Amino acid sequence: MFLSLRRRLLHRLLAPLLAEQAEHQRRFIADAAHQLRTPLAGLQSQVEAWAQAARRIVPPGGSGSLLVPVDQVDKLRNATRRTTQLANQLLALSRAEARTTSDHPMEPVDLRALAGGVLETYLDRAAARRIDLGMALEGDGPEPARAWGQEWLLRELLANLVDNAIKYTPEGGTITIGGGLRPGGPAWLSVEDDGPGVPEALLPRLLDRFYRVPGSTGEGTGLGLAIVDEIARVHRGRLLLGAGAEGRGLRVVMEWPGSRAPLASAEP
C-alpha cells in the first residue's frame, strides 16, 4: 500500500512536467516539419533538374560531366546555408525550451569573456560588410563582472542577436554588444545596431516564431528572437526591445536576476 501511494504521488508530481515536455516535443516536430519542407523541396527541385539535364547528355550507366552556371551554384549554396541555419536554430530553440537546468546548472558567468567570445566569432562576417562590431560593457571594479546563468544559453542568446544585427544592418553600420551588472539591480546583456530599426507597433511581434517584418531583406528565418525570448524565460528574465541611440536601429536588452556571482562556483 505504501509503494502504491508513493507511485501515485510521483505520478501527480511528474505528470505536469512530462506533459510539458511532450508538448515541447510536439511543437518542435511540427515547426521543424513545416519550416524545413520548403527549403528542402527547393534543394531537391534544383538537384533533380541538374540530374535530368545530365541524363539528356549522358545516358544511364555512362560517365561524363555537366557544366553548371555559376549563378545556379551560388543559389544552391545559399539555399543549403539557409537550410542548415534553420535546422540549427530549430535545435537551439528545442534545447532552450527543454529548460535542462539539471543538466546545465546555473553557474557564475564572466560577462566580458562571454561577450568577447561572441564578438570574435562574428568579426570576420561583420568586417566583410564593413560593419563596426564592438563591445561596451560596464565595469565591475577590480574583479570581472560575473552573474549567475547558463553560459551555453547566454552565448546562444548573444550569438542570435549579433547574427540578426549583421543581417539587417546596412554596410558601414555599427553594432555594439553591451552588458554588465547594475548596482543593486539585475544583470543585463544587449545588442544594439544603427540599422533601419522596427516600427514601435511591430516590436511585440518580433518575438513570434517565424515572424519577419514586412519588407525585410536578408535571409532571416524569423527564429532568432524567439530563441532569445525562450532563453530569457529560462533565466526568469525579461526582454526589452526598442530603438537604439538617437532613435535609430534596434536595441534588444535581456535583464535577469543574475545577482553578482562570487568567484567560487557554488550555487547561490
Side-chain angles (χ1 to χ4, degrees):
M1 180 177 178
F2 177 70
L3 289 176
S4 176
L5 178 61
R6 284 187 62 186
R7 290 194 188 96
R8 289 199 297 270
L9 288 174
L10 284 172
H11 177 75
R12 290 179 60 185
L13 290 172
L14 294 177
L17 178 60
L18 293 174
E20 183 181 18
Q21 290 177 341
E23 175 63 15
H24 287 158
Q25 185 178 40
R26 185 199 66 77
R27 290 175 60 191
F28 170 72
I29 293 173
D31 288 343
H34 176 72
Q35 292 300 316
L36 288 173
R37 184 181 296 116
T38 299
L40 288 176
L43 288 173
Q44 182 175 355
S45 176
Q46 183 66 69
V47 174
E48 289 287 350
W50 289 355
Q52 291 176 13
R55 287 309 168 203
R56 284 196 294 268
I57 300 172
V58 181
S63 62
S65 61
L66 177 70
L67 293 177
V68 179
V70 173
D71 65 323
Q72 294 297 315
V73 176
D74 285 341
K75 287 180 181 178
L76 185 64
R77 180 185 63 181
N78 292 336
T80 303
R81 286 178 175 175
R82 187 172 185 274
T83 305
T84 300
Q85 181 195 29
L86 177 58
N88 288 336
Q89 287 194 311
L90 283 166
L91 288 171
L93 182 61
S94 177
R95 292 176 70 196
E97 283 183 332
R99 295 180 172 87
T100 52
T101 53
S102 59
D103 296 334
H104 301 273
M106 296 291 177
E107 60 184 356
V109 178
D110 185 328
L111 299 183
R112 183 172 296 278
L114 176 74
V118 173
L119 182 144
E120 184 176 351
T121 299
Y122 285 91
L123 268 180
D124 288 343
R125 274 190 57 193
R129 302 192 61 232
R130 297 187 298 108
I131 292 175
D132 179 12
L133 175 61
M135 243 176 27
L137 272 71
E138 293 183 359
D140 189 37
E143 299 294 343
R146 284 182 167 87
W148 291 104
Q150 294 188 28
E151 184 173 2
W152 68 280
L153 280 178
L154 295 176
R155 186 183 304 110
E156 190 73 42
L157 176 142
L158 274 184
N160 275 281
L161 290 178
V162 173
D163 182 73
N164 267 8
I166 290 176
K167 285 175 184 172
Y168 299 113
T169 299
E171 289 195 9
T174 300
I175 299 172
T176 304
I177 302 174
L181 293 166
R182 296 194 173 98
W188 63 282
L189 289 167
S190 70
V191 173
E192 178 179 343
D193 64 64
D194 60 356
V198 177
E200 186 175 357
L202 297 181
L203 288 175
R205 294 291 311 279
L206 294 181
L207 304 182
D208 294 344
R209 296 181 182 195
F210 310 115
Y211 176 78
R212 298 191 67 199
V213 175
S216 294
T217 57
E219 295 293 329
T221 63
L223 270 178
L225 287 175
I227 294 171
V228 169
D229 185 43
E230 193 62 39
I231 293 172
R233 294 175 190 272
V234 171
H235 287 79
R236 302 188 304 279
R238 62 172 182 164
L239 286 184
L240 305 173
L241 283 71
E246 301 179 0
R248 299 176 58 192
L250 178 67
R251 184 170 188 255
V252 182
V253 183
M254 173 191 166
E255 292 184 341
W256 79 99
S259 57
R260 189 178 307 274
L263 298 181
S265 58
E267 287 290 336

